[in-house]
Amino acid sequence: MTAVQGERVIIVRHAMPKVDPEVPSDRWPLAWDSRVAARLLRLHVSHPAYYVSSTEPKAAQTMQEIAGAQRVVTDADLVEVHRPHVWFSHEEEYHAAALAYAGGVCPEGWEPQSEVVSRFDAAVVRHAAEAAGRGRTLVIGTHGLAPTVWMASRYQLDPDPAGFWSELRFPDVVEIDLRTERVSCLAH
């Protein structure tokens, strides 16, 4: 794998979206009251920064709340794991499927972990180089599963990838210290 440039990378999991079972999750916008929670994450980000986000509305809107008037670049390689639009009637069903995925099992129809790692890694390397060239910290607005699978491909996650994913909140901030390769959650 190509080295990620810079001293650190900040990964931001989006704030709580406005859930609509009739709409695929990749089109859910940020819930209105979640905008305040997203703005509070500014406290965990060094400004100015280089902001990039998934193209999904909930992630892009979360990142814009953090960035304020600063520009947020979007990149489709930072979207969540592609999966069929299936509404889970109980949150526990989705949680079990996602937990299995983070642990290395790929449910039928879900994007293979290797493909997620490949596209996500390419985006991080590309944007980290741009951020380093500008002397800024890279801040990535994204989701839960895709960055977890990517981080697990490069770094040690505590207690393990599935446990790490299950402890992420809406929203959350994860810092990767590129010098020590240490991954830590900053917002909880």
Side-chain angles (χ1 to χ4, degrees):
M1 291 185 154
T2 304
V4 177
Q5 293 183 31
E7 293 182 18
R8 67 185 183 137
V9 172
I10 303 292
I11 305 280
V12 176
R13 184 188 201 182
H14 63 79
M16 185 59 74
K18 180 180 178 190
V19 177
D20 182 346
E22 300 298 317
V23 176
S25 62
D26 63 347
R27 288 192 259 156
W28 290 346
L30 195 60
W32 184 252
D33 56 347
S34 294
R35 292 180 183 276
V36 172
R39 271 184 232 125
L40 290 174
L41 295 181
R42 288 180 188 174
L43 301 172
H44 299 286
V45 177
S46 299
H47 297 281
Y50 177 88
Y51 298 97
V52 62
S53 173
S54 157
T55 55
E56 293 186 31
K58 58 190 169 271
Q61 292 165 356
T62 297
M63 188 56 46
Q64 196 61 65
E65 291 295 336
I66 294 168
Q70 294 185 58
R71 181 174 181 254
V72 176
V73 176
T74 57
D75 190 324
D77 286 340
L78 298 171
V79 298
E80 184 58 293
V81 172
H82 301 292
R83 57 188 187 273
H85 174 58
V86 175
W87 182 252
F88 292 92
S89 57
H90 299 285
E91 186 175 328
E92 296 81 27
E93 292 176 61
Y94 170 75
H95 191 268
L99 197 60
Y101 186 88
V105 176
C106 189
E108 186 177 333
W110 289 41
E111 181 180 15
Q113 288 93 337
S114 61
E115 291 178 17
V116 173
V117 168
S118 179
R119 70 173 164 80
F120 206 94
D121 193 66
V124 173
V125 168
R126 186 170 56 249
H127 292 289
E130 184 68 29
R134 296 178 184 198
R136 296 183 176 199
T137 299
L138 175 60
V139 181
I140 301 171
T142 187
H143 309 276
L145 284 173
T148 296
V149 170
W150 171 75
M151 285 185 285
S153 76
R154 284 186 171 259
Y155 311 106
Q156 179 69 39
L157 297 181
D158 189 32
D160 56 46
F164 181 88
W165 173 82
S166 70
E167 292 177 11
L168 289 174
R169 298 182 184 174
F170 293 99
D172 215 337
V173 178
V174 176
E175 178 184 55
I176 303 169
D177 184 320
L178 297 171
R179 294 164 296 171
T180 64
E181 296 191 350
R182 183 168 181 259
V183 177
S184 54
C185 288
L186 300 179
H188 71 269

